[in-house]
């Protein structure tokens, strides 16, 4: 039993360290030679300070790569969530519309907003990943809700420096007490979040929608891999409630 626990701890530590190392290396490379010049990567944060968006692709890349080592289906959801977030980071920059209703209304009027791309793209990827991660139809649907819902939740709390990465660290912690793919995916999410947290808190970088959605989708797949139907149903209920009360969740996360 002790030997088994030791091996599991070593596996989780290895997953976390590998993901953290890839995150830091990618962040360093983007900072050193930002494609298109630094101006393309500069954004204004909540306090009006100029920060770099370098952590966005670095976070998404490390999250997807880490997921691929454990479950290819998980990597699909993470990569798709990151790409949809990246579209919104670029095309949706400056768009004041918030919430599902506003973006769906725009879509009905023939306008494809960044928020609509995220909603439809992340949901579609979550359904595809859920179909491969779940065993029975009900499990597949619940898995999709958990993956998409967790991606949305992490993005909802990304309203102040460190909120999204800190939330991922807190929610990934219980998964580290388990064994199997769920624990390894949790360790991967924790490693990526821990690697980006210092620069995020220091307001030197931001993870943007790209990183927030990718990290959230990774955490969602960890929850799916580590829970049975009852656990998935409980998580899905909480996540749907959080989505319905999105403005309140964001306001609470933004409170000092």
């Amino acid at each position: 039993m002790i030997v088994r626990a030791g091996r599991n701890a070593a596996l989780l530590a290895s997953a976390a360290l590998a993901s953290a190392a890839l995150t830091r290396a990618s962040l360093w490379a983007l900072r050193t030679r930002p494609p298109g010049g630094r101006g393309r990567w500069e954004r204004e944060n909540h306090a009006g300070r100029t920060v770099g968006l370098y952590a966005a692709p670095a976070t998404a890349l490390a999250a997807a790569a880490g997921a691929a080592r454990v479950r290819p289906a998980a990597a699909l959801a993470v990569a798709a969530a990151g790409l949809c977030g990246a579209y919104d980071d670029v095309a949706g920059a400056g768009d004041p519309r918030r919430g599902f209703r506003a973006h769906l209304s725009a879509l009905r009027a023939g306008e494809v907003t960044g928020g609509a791309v995220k909603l439809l793209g992340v949901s579609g990827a979550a359904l595809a990943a859920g179909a491969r991660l779940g065993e029975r139809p009900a499990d597949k649907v619940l898995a999709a809700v958990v993956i998409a819902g967790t991606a949305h939740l992490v993005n909802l709390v990304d309203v102040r420096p460190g909120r999204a990465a800190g939330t991922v660290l807190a929610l990934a912690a219980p998964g580290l007490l388990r064994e199997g793919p769920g624990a390894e995916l949790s360790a991967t999410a924790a490693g990526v979040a821990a690697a980006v947290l210092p620069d995020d808190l220091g307001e030197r970088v931001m993870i943007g929608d790209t990183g927030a959605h990718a990290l959230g989708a990774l955490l969602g797949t960890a929850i799916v891999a580590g829970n049975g139907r009852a656990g998935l149903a409980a998580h899905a209920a909480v996540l749907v409630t959080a989505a319905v009360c999105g403005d309140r969740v964001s306001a609470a996360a933004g409170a000092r």
Side-chain angles (χ1 to χ4, degrees):
M1 181 66 71
I2 294 177
V3 172
R4 181 177 178 180
R7 287 177 178 172
N8 185 59
L11 176 65
L12 299 187
S14 176
L17 290 172
S19 295
L22 180 55
T23 304
R24 296 302 303 178
S26 301
L27 181 55
W28 176 84
L30 286 167
R31 268 178 168 168
T32 303
R33 292 187 177 180
R38 296 190 181 280
R40 179 171 292 184
W41 295 84
E42 291 180 347
R43 295 293 188 277
E44 189 174 285
N45 70 2
H46 73 286
R49 297 187 180 93
T50 299
V51 299
L53 196 60
Y54 313 114
T59 298
L61 172 63
R69 291 196 303 267
V70 185
R71 288 282 181 88
L76 164 68
V78 174
L83 286 172
C84 291
Y87 180 86
D88 195 33
D89 277 335
V90 176
D95 190 342
R97 287 169 292 195
R98 294 291 183 269
F100 293 153
R101 183 177 300 178
H103 292 292
L104 289 176
S105 295
L107 188 61
R108 284 195 294 270
E111 181 185 1
V112 180
T113 64
V117 170
K118 286 191 303 184
L119 173 60
L120 299 178
V122 174
S123 297
L127 282 169
R132 299 188 63 181
L133 293 172
E135 295 183 359
R136 297 184 178 182
D139 301 325
K140 297 177 189 295
V141 172
L142 287 171
V145 172
V146 168
I147 294 170
T150 310
H152 181 58
L153 173 65
V154 174
N155 189 57
L156 279 177
V157 302
D158 188 29
V159 291
R160 287 286 190 277
R163 296 293 199 273
T167 296
V168 170
L169 279 172
L171 296 181
L176 300 178
L177 302 178
R178 301 174 180 269
E179 294 184 0
E184 196 169 352
L185 288 168
S186 294
T188 299
V192 176
V196 78
L197 185 58
D199 283 334
D200 192 6
L201 282 173
E203 299 187 56
R204 293 182 289 275
V205 300
M206 62 168 59
I207 66 172
D209 284 2
T210 306
H213 278 85
L215 267 178
L218 176 57
L219 181 61
T221 60
I223 294 170
V224 169
N227 284 272
R229 183 175 299 176
L232 289 179
H235 279 90
V238 172
L239 290 165
V240 169
T241 301
V244 172
C245 303
D247 289 341
R248 295 181 182 179
V249 173
S250 292
R256 292 188 179 275

